Amino acid sequence: MVASQNDSRSGPRRGNNSDSRGPGGGRRQGGERRGRRPRREEEDSGLVERVVKIRRVSKVVKGGRNLTFNAMVVVGDGNGNVGAALGKAGAVPDAVRKGTTYAKKAMAHVELNGPTIPHEITSKFSGAKVLLKPAAPGTGVIAGGGVRAVMEAVGVKDVLSKTFGSANTINIVRATLDALHQLRDPIAATERRKGTSVSREEENS
């Protein structure tokens, strides 16, 4: 009798657990909800978007605290055009949306040499300093944080980088963009200098 009572008590418990974890159970539904929200890094327009940094800013006022959010967004087409901007709003989605809009307006063309950069360049913004070096095919993007986001957005596949000074991600992104905008094609620069020197010789003669 004792064994039969234990079996009868344990039976419904197994049934209840199986019903709670069935097709309509909360765990599977929760997993499906998480699966429906993948990270979107590329829009339908073909632009690559990377959210580099999200900061919460708290301002103490007379009535309490005002919370706002800053989002640093990098946008590029993977073909030599890139831009970055800082969006500010009272909520994270609004800040990201503003940053994306401003970054698209700030997009500019960068001189590249195939999958890498044409020459070594160093740039500084505020307390952050960034060094970029061209790399052989197959090296990959040797960078981290903000530098990697900018390189992937602009379309650089092989590059070596090193950051110095401040670890502020926003300043690092700005320094990386300044370095990319300073890149020039060596052949075109040489021809331009030769043309200038020839014209000066002709003027002197």
Side-chain angles (χ1 to χ4, degrees):
M1 294 296 292
V2 176
S4 62
Q5 290 178 359
N6 293 336
D7 294 340
S8 62
R9 291 177 181 177
S10 60
R13 292 181 181 177
R14 294 194 192 98
N16 293 337
N17 293 338
S18 61
D19 294 339
S20 62
R21 298 180 183 180
R27 292 186 179 180
R28 294 186 180 179
Q29 289 181 357
E32 292 176 359
R33 284 196 297 268
R34 288 192 294 270
R36 292 184 192 135
R37 301 176 60 185
R39 181 181 176 184
R40 295 188 58 190
E41 295 182 349
E42 188 169 351
E43 286 187 340
D44 298 335
S45 60
L47 296 178
V48 179
E49 298 180 7
R50 300 295 169 90
V51 180
V52 180
K53 182 72 173 180
I54 296 177
R55 298 188 306 179
R56 185 182 68 175
V57 181
S58 177
K59 181 180 179 181
V60 180
V61 295
K62 185 176 181 180
R65 293 184 178 180
N66 291 339
L67 292 179
T68 57
F69 296 90
N70 298 341
M72 189 67 183
V73 184
V74 179
V75 178
D77 62 353
N79 194 25
N81 296 314
V82 66
L86 188 66
K88 302 178 183 181
V92 174
D94 296 336
V96 173
R97 186 175 63 254
K98 286 185 178 181
T100 303
T101 303
Y102 298 153
K104 289 179 181 179
K105 294 180 180 179
M107 287 181 64
H109 183 70
V110 175
E111 191 70 34
L112 300 179
N113 183 17
T116 186
I117 58 178
H119 56 83
E120 180 179 335
I121 189 69
T122 303
S123 180
K124 183 178 179 181
F125 184 87
S126 187
K129 185 178 180 180
V130 175
L131 170 65
L132 303 178
K133 289 184 178 182
T139 304
V141 179
I142 309 301
V147 180
R148 174 176 289 272
V150 175
M151 292 300 159
E152 292 178 350
V154 76
V156 174
K157 306 297 182 182
D158 305 300
V159 70
L160 302 174
S161 70
K162 180 68 176 178
T163 59
F164 305 93
S166 174
N168 189 322
T169 307
I170 296 176
N171 290 341
I172 291 175
V173 171
R174 299 290 190 187
T176 306
L177 288 175
D178 290 344
L180 291 178
H181 293 157
Q182 295 177 18
L183 294 176
R184 297 293 182 268
D185 185 5
I187 298 177
T190 303
E191 292 179 352
R192 186 164 53 252
R193 286 197 299 268
K194 287 182 179 179
T196 304
S197 62
V198 170
S199 61
R200 289 181 178 176
E201 290 178 359
E202 292 177 355
E203 291 178 358
N204 295 332
S205 60

